[in-house]
Amino acid sequence: MQPAASEEQTRPPWPWWYGPLGFICGAVCGFISAGIVWAAMGVSEGTESPGAIVAGTVLLDGSLVGSALLFASFVRPPRAWHFGLRSSRFWPAVGWAALGMVSFLVFAAVYQALLNPHLDQSVAKDLGADQSTAGLIVAGVMIICVAPFAEEFFFRGFFYGALRTRFSVLVAAAIDGALFGLIHFEGGSDGLLIVPPLAFLGFVFCLVYERTRTLYATIALHSVNNAIAYAAQADGGAVSAVLGPLVLAVCILAPRLQRSAAEPIRMA
């Protein structure tokens, strides 16, 4: 149920340091729980099997979401709209999301032309996309469905929201984007080269969220970006063609099942 208009005029006053501390706590909890599960599976580290990587990813994403909910509850009982899960004007949201995607594609093209980096990620392969049809589907669900929701909920809905109680839009978006890029670092010089484009992507997501006031716009944008990348990386065109539109449909229909907010959230 959506809050009354009088409630929704301001976002919860989370202290800015809740974001970084929530990330540390969520990451530590995720790695500890993943280690326990890996031990139960009989593997010494998560990279030994796609199943272990899937389990570890689910636990890490779940821990970050749980950490956001926990820290948010210290200020007031968390509600969906606190994290941006709220309705917004449809066509303006589509327009800002499209502008965000175009901005990222332009940046990526310029970055590629200037540095000519080798930017292949191994996430799809690590998740078992190349081993079987089931692996292709499971990896697709993780990349196109689970990751966009969990990462947007934490990084834009909570981390960026907490930073905005202290910092300006650009500073908060830059910090959020930098961390978002760094968490995708896979090691090595090639892995480091992928950080700037993803940091810029996280920065763009923050700006889209700022303008639309709804996390559904960035979840949809994130999912579309991942679906395109997955189709290219894992020969998962059919999976992307099904899961990508499915997430878009959810992002379009879900806010319409919520009561439209009478007034937009004012940034703290």
Side-chain angles (χ1 to χ4, degrees):
M1 181 171 131
Q2 288 281 61
S6 59
E7 287 184 87
E8 200 169 349
Q9 292 180 30
T10 58
R11 71 165 77 249
W14 301 321
W16 71 269
W17 49 270
Y18 269 23
L21 186 58
F23 174 76
I24 293 172
C25 291
V28 170
C29 180
F31 284 122
I32 291 175
S33 58
I36 294 173
V37 170
W38 292 337
M41 295 173 65
V43 298
S44 59
E45 57 182 50
T47 57
E48 289 188 17
S49 72
I53 295 176
V54 169
T57 301
V58 169
L59 289 169
L60 179 58
D61 286 347
S63 294
L64 288 175
V65 171
S67 178
L69 292 170
L70 175 64
F71 277 85
S73 71
F74 295 155
V75 173
R76 65 178 63 167
R79 299 288 183 268
W81 68 270
H82 294 176
F83 303 90
L85 294 172
R86 63 189 297 276
S87 58
S88 180
R89 291 185 299 166
F90 179 74
W91 288 114
V94 171
W96 284 111
L99 180 60
M101 177 60 78
V102 170
S103 299
F104 170 68
L105 292 176
V106 170
F107 177 90
V110 173
Y111 185 80
Q112 180 73 29
L114 291 176
L115 299 180
N116 193 28
H118 181 65
L119 297 180
D120 290 339
Q121 288 183 288
S122 61
V123 176
K125 181 179 178 181
D126 293 341
L127 290 170
D130 61 339
Q131 296 189 7
S132 66
T133 301
L136 189 69
I137 294 173
V138 170
V141 171
M142 294 298 300
I143 292 171
I144 301 171
C145 304
V146 176
F149 175 81
E151 292 179 5
E152 291 308 306
F153 187 90
F154 182 83
F155 285 101
R156 257 59 68 180
F158 177 70
F159 190 88
Y160 173 76
L163 292 178
R164 282 289 285 118
T165 63
R166 172 71 179 272
F167 302 105
S168 67
V169 172
L170 293 181
V171 172
I175 296 171
D176 183 281
L179 180 60
F180 182 73
L182 286 171
I183 66 165
H184 292 87
F185 174 56
E186 297 180 356
S189 58
D190 288 341
L192 188 61
L193 287 173
I194 203 170
V195 172
L198 291 180
F200 182 79
L201 183 62
F203 178 83
V204 167
F205 286 160
C206 290
L207 299 186
V208 171
Y209 177 45
E210 181 78 25
R211 297 304 302 179
T212 64
R213 303 294 200 265
T214 176
L215 202 67
Y216 292 115
T218 60
I219 292 172
L221 191 56
H222 195 152
S223 181
V224 167
N225 178 74
N226 285 13
I228 294 172
Y230 187 67
Q233 291 174 16
D235 194 25
V239 175
S240 293
V242 172
L243 296 181
L246 179 61
V247 174
L248 284 178
V250 171
C251 290
I252 291 171
L253 295 175
R256 277 155 179 70
L257 298 178
Q258 297 176 291
R259 193 169 160 190
S260 296
E263 298 182 31
I265 299 174
R266 288 203 307 265
M267 292 301 173

